[in-house]
Amino acid sequence: MHRPGSFPLLRVSSPRLLGSLYSPPRVRCFAQHPPLQKHLDQQDDSGEPPAVSMHDRGLRPDQDALRQLLAKGVRPYFYYIDIHGRVFLQDTTPKDLTSCYKDPRFLDFFISRIKPNSTGLFPEFSWISPCGKELNFVEAADTPITFHGLQDGHLLWAGTQRTPFFPSQLCVSASTGRIYHPLPRPLQAPLEASMDPDKQHKGCNFGLLKSSMVLSELAAGLEHDSVLWQGSRFPLTVLP
């Protein structure tokens, strides 16, 4: 699947390749609950937390490693997934609703293939979404998969993907107040010894529930240790 990529500061000999590397992404693409309130307090004036990728912080992939991959015919690309589950190229500025990927087919393809980065390349990117001779390195603000909607008893993720919603399996982060749900079993990844333990536990097995969805669907019955859903109260498992 062809799409533009990002190679900051990398010199290439082909003008055609150079143009493709730097082309912009195609856009088709509670006050009653202190932890949630703490999370909402981090939002900017638009109501969304600012998206800050490694590229935004001035960090760049190793240029020698980039050249080596290109010499082998492997095309590396670098992405950022924010806490709303929106996908951006690392060097996209600004990162907002107008500049994220929106094509449901691309999102289904890209997100469903995300797994821990065990390549030994660019270890600062915890995740990778392989595609033939492309290596898509992914930085996630939280978990790489975010559930962005709830419909007919199913959580929505990526472009058109759905997974059954089990309120009895919801978890809450003790540090951020964010709510998580187990990933569909086929997407659960084996833990990698090289990964940060916190990212292992969450990203390999859980997906973040988008904050706006939590507020619209769960907030009315949400306590610090449980959630009310369809007349029954379910305890929340506490994560770090």
Side-chain angles (χ1 to χ4, degrees):
M1 178 179 294
H2 175 72
R3 54 196 174 281
S6 168
F7 292 78
L9 306 180
L10 176 63
R11 295 181 180 178
V12 294
S13 57
S14 167
R16 182 177 179 182
L17 176 60
L18 181 63
S20 68
L21 299 184
Y22 283 89
S23 56
R26 298 175 183 175
V27 176
R28 315 171 192 268
C29 357
F30 217 101
Q32 296 93 339
H33 196 279
L36 277 180
Q37 187 61 52
K38 177 172 65 173
H39 172 50
L40 294 176
D41 287 343
Q42 300 171 5
Q43 297 178 340
D44 60 22
D45 292 339
S46 66
E48 299 179 347
V52 182
S53 69
M54 283 187 280
H55 186 278
D56 298 328
R57 302 194 300 272
L59 304 176
R60 302 292 186 270
D62 181 77
Q63 301 298 299
D64 289 336
L66 288 172
R67 293 186 181 92
Q68 291 172 15
L69 285 177
L70 284 177
K72 296 177 180 178
V74 178
R75 300 185 299 274
Y77 298 90
F78 300 90
Y79 291 86
Y80 176 75
I81 299 179
D82 70 5
I83 62 171
H84 303 288
R86 300 179 301 189
V87 179
F88 304 89
L89 285 172
Q90 275 279 329
D91 56 1
T92 296
T93 304
K95 291 177 173 63
D96 56 28
L97 185 61
T98 66
S99 59
C100 64
Y101 284 92
K102 300 180 180 66
D103 185 346
R105 295 168 300 176
F106 168 77
L107 293 174
D108 286 347
F109 182 91
F110 182 87
I111 295 177
S112 65
R113 284 163 173 74
I114 289 179
K115 61 182 182 179
N117 176 14
S118 59
T119 65
L121 301 168
F122 309 109
E124 64 272 26
F125 291 87
S126 298
W127 310 97
I128 191 168
S129 177
C131 175
K133 289 190 175 182
E134 295 180 1
L135 290 179
N136 302 305
F137 294 90
V138 180
E139 175 194 9
D142 198 301
T143 60
I145 294 178
T146 297
F147 298 110
H148 55 75
L150 182 59
Q151 185 178 77
D152 299 327
H154 287 76
L155 291 167
L156 312 180
W157 58 279
T160 64
Q161 301 301 302
R162 300 158 61 91
T163 190
F165 174 55
F166 298 108
S168 61
Q169 298 182 18
L170 289 174
C171 302
V172 60
S173 168
S175 58
T176 66
R178 293 174 183 169
I179 308 296
Y180 300 84
H181 186 278
L183 294 175
R185 188 164 297 276
L187 292 180
Q188 293 186 16
L191 302 183
E192 298 287 340
S194 60
M195 291 182 65
D196 177 87
D198 185 49
K199 290 183 179 178
Q200 279 187 356
H201 188 51
K202 291 180 182 176
C204 291
N205 296 293
F206 295 91
L208 175 68
L209 267 61
K210 186 176 178 180
S211 58
S212 60
M213 190 264 285
V214 171
L215 289 172
S216 63
E217 302 290 344
L218 302 176
L222 189 61
E223 301 291 342
H224 72 282
D225 60 354
S226 64
V227 62
L228 181 67
W229 179 254
Q230 295 183 346
S232 299
R233 183 160 292 278
F234 301 92
L236 296 172
T237 301
V238 178
L239 297 177

